[in-house]
Amino acid sequence: MKDFSTEISYKTSRSSGAGGQNVNKVETAVTGIWNVMESQFFSFDEKLRISEKLKNRINSEGLLQMTSSESRTQLQNKKIVTDKMLELVEKSLFVPKKRVATKPSKGQIQKRIDNKKKLSEKKENRKFRF
């Protein structure tokens, strides 16, 4: 996992919701902003993959933004934003293995047909005949 946390810039704002005086006077909510295409830690292909996978989270300027107001402290919220962003980018870089199409073997096909015949006979024997 590449640690690009030095490229993330942070903005603070007042948190919303319950919390009384602390919420009203302290800027504890933290927004992390990272420019994907100007990153020095990733190759061009990796940047394209990140942009494609996270296109719903990246704005028109190419900035990935994430906000946290879970904690009462600015420092804790900054850590939460950083960790979430690193995890999100790491997941977006994952390349799934190609699926190799396979056919069922002749034995498997025969077994399935035999099971269907047995079930059909069982149901046929349930019918009342005069």
Side-chain angles (χ1 to χ4, degrees):
M1 179 167 123
K2 296 180 181 177
D3 187 12
F4 59 91
S5 56
T6 54
E7 294 182 344
I8 301 172
S9 58
Y10 300 96
K11 261 193 211 174
T12 59
S13 60
R14 290 194 182 134
S15 296
S16 62
Q21 283 183 327
N22 189 62
V23 169
N24 297 334
K25 66 183 182 180
V26 181
E27 292 195 350
T28 56
V30 176
T31 302
I33 303 164
W34 179 55
N35 193 329
V36 178
M37 286 302 174
E38 291 182 9
S39 176
Q40 302 295 317
F41 288 90
F42 298 102
S43 68
F44 184 71
D45 293 334
E46 290 174 327
K47 291 176 192 177
L48 286 179
R49 178 175 294 283
I50 292 168
S51 297
E52 182 62 33
K53 292 270 180 112
L54 302 178
K55 64 184 170 192
N56 294 336
R57 291 178 174 260
I58 295 174
N59 63 15
S60 57
E61 290 96 46
L63 302 175
L64 176 65
Q65 290 185 326
M66 193 167 285
T67 304
S68 174
S69 58
E70 296 172 21
S71 176
R72 283 177 58 95
T73 64
Q74 197 179 95
L75 192 64
Q76 194 67 22
N77 281 330
K78 186 176 178 182
K79 184 180 181 328
I80 291 169
V81 165
T82 306
D83 292 343
K84 280 185 180 179
M85 201 174 283
L86 290 172
E87 184 180 334
L88 191 68
V89 170
E90 182 186 0
K91 283 183 181 177
S92 70
L93 287 172
F94 176 74
V95 180
K97 286 185 356 185
K98 292 277 185 189
R99 183 188 177 277
V100 178
T102 58
K103 290 182 180 179
S105 67
K106 288 183 180 180
Q108 288 175 326
I109 293 171
Q110 189 61 45
K111 188 176 180 181
R112 182 178 59 84
I113 291 171
D114 292 342
N115 284 337
K116 287 175 79 170
K117 283 181 183 174
K118 282 182 186 175
L119 193 63
S120 173
E121 287 174 17
K122 185 194 307 183
K123 290 185 175 186
E124 191 65 36
N125 290 336
R126 292 179 189 161
K127 291 183 179 177
F128 180 76
R129 294 187 193 93
F130 292 100

